[in-house]
Amino acid sequence: MTERSLSAFTRAKRVIPGGVNSPVRAFKAVGGTPIFMKSATGCTITDLDDNTYLDYVMSWGPLILGHAPPAVVKAVQAAATRGTSFGAPTEAETELAELVVSMVPSIDKVRFCSSGTEATMSALRLARAFTGRDKVVKFAGCYHGHADAFLISAGSGALTLGTPDSPGITQGTVRDTLSLPYNDLDAVSRAFDAHGREIAAVIVEPYAGNMGFVLPRDGFLSGLRELTNAHGALLIFDEVMTGFRVAPGGAQEREGLSPDLTTLGKIVGGGLPVGAFGGRADVMESLSPLGPVYQAGTLSGNPLAMAAGLATLRGLQVADTYETLERSTERLVLGLGEAFGRRGIPHRIAHRGSMFGFFFTGCDVVDLASAKTADTALYGRFFHAMLERGVYLAPSQFEAGFVSTAHIATALDDTLAAADDALSALHAVA
Ligand code: HOZ
């Protein structure tokens, strides 16, 4: 029963476009109407009608320690009693910056802002200013927030809702963004042959999480590093999703690579609105007030957000955390894969650390074109069958799933039992 959610949605639609403040939440990709949430704890989330779900959206990634972990809640409460915003520097910003710099070796200096979108937008401006070039290479199906330059063949909600190239973006912006197939190093090489002196940066999600979960082929990321070095362009890793998630130092640590700039969000804010971008000191020092590149924000380095980020990154320092997350996610992915396989459902499923995803397709998924071979209608039916059995997956085939330290063995077992039952029910109907 979700009557209260339905009436909340009807009310919201009167004053909020589509009734939601971020489009994927509207359930358009899976049908039906969105569930309105009222509370969450650990690995569960509860809706207005008191239905509780095992959550694999986890606010789209920030909640690696689960919902409302006591240490984070306590830190935010304590910070709030001291004042919610000062618009002046605080020591907490330096403490979080020191922690980020110590965890992500390619980052010499970091600046905090309020969202991943701000982080990527600012990193691109910085790269353009530093190189004196205008063009950016991105990959189709990757999503780097909703700044104009990145809404060309974009992933996430833009892909889900059929607007990968949003209207409202100028022809000039379109000309300066070169969108290439993910995992296609030859295409990148050709782009550099044609526009080498104009390309400021290549930006990539090292593990793509916004066209579903898609991994880089061996040699793709290192090839990007070589090409950008050879042509004097900067390499930007968008680790908004993978940062602090797939390893303490993100995907770049797992892959042994050092990008020039890294964009961060989600976990670095521990569930509060934070983005960050950082990297080589010589590049970061072009930023105002040291250099000419302007970037600013009233709520940048907000004390509540810094407190949540600090408590979260400190929580991740506990021994074996990443090993446990990897094991839990592997167990989930193996179990789901077996359940799909038992029913002869063509699928591809993968994970790195505690980030995972699956496609209902018989094709290997290496880029946007192959991701689009997935049976999205089947995903929608599976999504609803899981929801009815108390499991909340992303309401779109083209998103990743997230496991937290709060997803203990019984939660994973319950999820796999729900999947088995859901697939039986779908099989009986088909
Ligand atoms: N773009 C986010 C996931 N890739 C979704 C944001 C949201 O709806 O909260």
Side-chain angles (χ1 to χ4, degrees):
M1 196 187 70
T2 52
E3 280 164 26
R4 287 184 183 202
S5 278
L6 190 57
S7 79
F9 187 46
T10 306
R11 179 181 168 197
K13 279 193 291 185
R14 287 190 205 112
V15 285
I16 299 175
V20 291
N21 282 308
S22 193
V24 190
R25 301 177 194 180
F27 276 30
K28 278 201 165 176
V30 289
T33 51
I35 306 297
F36 275 53
M37 302 302 179
K38 67 173 182 186
S39 65
T41 178
C43 64
T44 63
I45 189 162
T46 301
D47 72 13
L48 286 183
D49 294 278
D50 286 323
N51 302 301
T52 292
Y53 309 89
L54 290 165
D55 187 8
Y56 290 95
V57 177
M58 299 306 288
S59 188
W60 307 95
L63 307 177
I64 193 162
L65 301 179
H67 285 282
V72 176
V73 172
K74 203 170 144 203
V76 173
Q77 283 170 338
T81 60
R82 294 191 294 267
T84 57
S85 183
F86 306 126
T90 62
E91 284 187 306
E93 292 160 71
T94 311
E95 280 173 46
L96 186 56
E98 285 169 351
L99 204 45
V100 169
V101 166
S102 73
M103 291 175 80
V104 188
S106 72
I107 297 185
D108 301 324
K109 293 199 169 183
V110 61
R111 177 161 284 178
F112 295 112
C113 48
S114 297
S115 70
T117 290
E118 276 185 64
T120 53
M121 183 183 85
S122 307
L124 177 58
R125 181 180 307 137
L126 188 56
R128 283 175 164 156
F130 187 79
T131 57
R133 300 170 177 185
D134 288 345
K135 291 197 191 299
V136 59
V137 170
K138 73 172 287 289
F139 296 96
C142 283
Y143 178 74
H144 306 290
H146 57 88
D148 285 3
F150 302 121
L151 284 182
I152 319 283
S153 307
S156 191
L159 169 62
T160 299
L161 299 164
T163 49
D165 308 291
S166 173
I169 290 171
T170 65
Q171 281 309 308
T173 299
V174 172
R175 264 195 306 276
D176 284 336
T177 299
L178 307 174
S179 184
L180 305 177
Y182 190 75
N183 268 324
D184 188 343
L185 203 53
D186 287 343
V188 184
S189 188
R190 285 195 300 274
F192 272 110
D193 287 344
H195 305 283
R197 287 170 182 278
E198 298 164 87
I199 296 172
V202 173
I203 186 167
V204 65
E205 288 180 81
Y207 303 157
N210 285 288
M211 52 174 150
F213 184 59
V214 181
L215 288 168
R217 283 190 175 121
D218 283 350
F220 176 60
L221 297 172
S222 57
L224 295 182
R225 180 64 285 181
E226 282 160 24
L227 283 168
T228 45
N229 279 343
H231 291 272
L234 300 189
L235 179 61
I236 307 174
F237 270 14
D238 181 346
E239 298 232 40
V240 168
M241 278 186 174
T242 51
F244 312 109
R245 175 161 289 279
V246 298
Q252 57 192 269
E253 178 185 325
R254 286 183 86 116
E255 301 294 323
L257 289 168
S258 197
D260 302 296
L261 291 173
T262 299
T263 56
L264 297 165
K266 302 196 189 271
I267 290 173
V268 75
L272 270 78
V274 180
F277 59 103
R280 281 168 42 186
D282 58 335
V283 181
M284 291 302 289
E285 283 169 5
S286 300
L287 270 183
S288 183
L290 282 184
V293 182
Y294 200 72
Q295 180 277 336
T298 300
L299 292 172
S300 293
N302 172 266
L304 272 59
M306 296 296 102
L310 269 171
T312 299
L313 294 194
R314 285 179 183 146
L316 288 170
Q317 314 289 322
V318 174
D320 293 336
T321 299
Y322 282 93
E323 290 76 5
T324 307
L325 283 165
E326 186 98 35
R327 272 199 304 275
S328 300
T329 314
E330 186 175 49
R331 178 174 173 170
L332 179 73
V333 159
L334 283 175
L336 286 174
E338 276 167 22
F340 300 147
R342 270 197 300 280
R343 285 163 182 85
I345 299 173
H347 66 279
R348 293 290 185 273
I349 187 160
H351 81 103
R352 284 291 183 277
S354 52
M355 192 171 166
F356 72 96
F358 56 87
F359 295 91
F360 293 127
T361 178
C363 298
D364 286 343
V365 179
V366 295
D367 57 13
L368 181 59
S370 45
K372 281 182 165 175
T373 64
D375 184 342
T376 52
L378 177 56
Y379 183 88
R381 291 198 298 280
F382 182 63
F383 167 85
H384 281 290
M386 290 295 271
L387 200 61
E388 278 163 27
R389 288 160 181 80
V391 179
Y392 188 63
L393 298 172
S396 164
Q397 167 72 87
F398 301 117
E399 298 286 351
F402 300 98
V403 171
S404 76
T405 55
H407 287 79
I408 53 172
T410 49
L412 300 171
D413 289 345
D414 290 349
T415 305
L416 294 176
D420 216 45
D421 197 46
L423 291 167
S424 296
L426 292 182
H427 191 69
V429 172

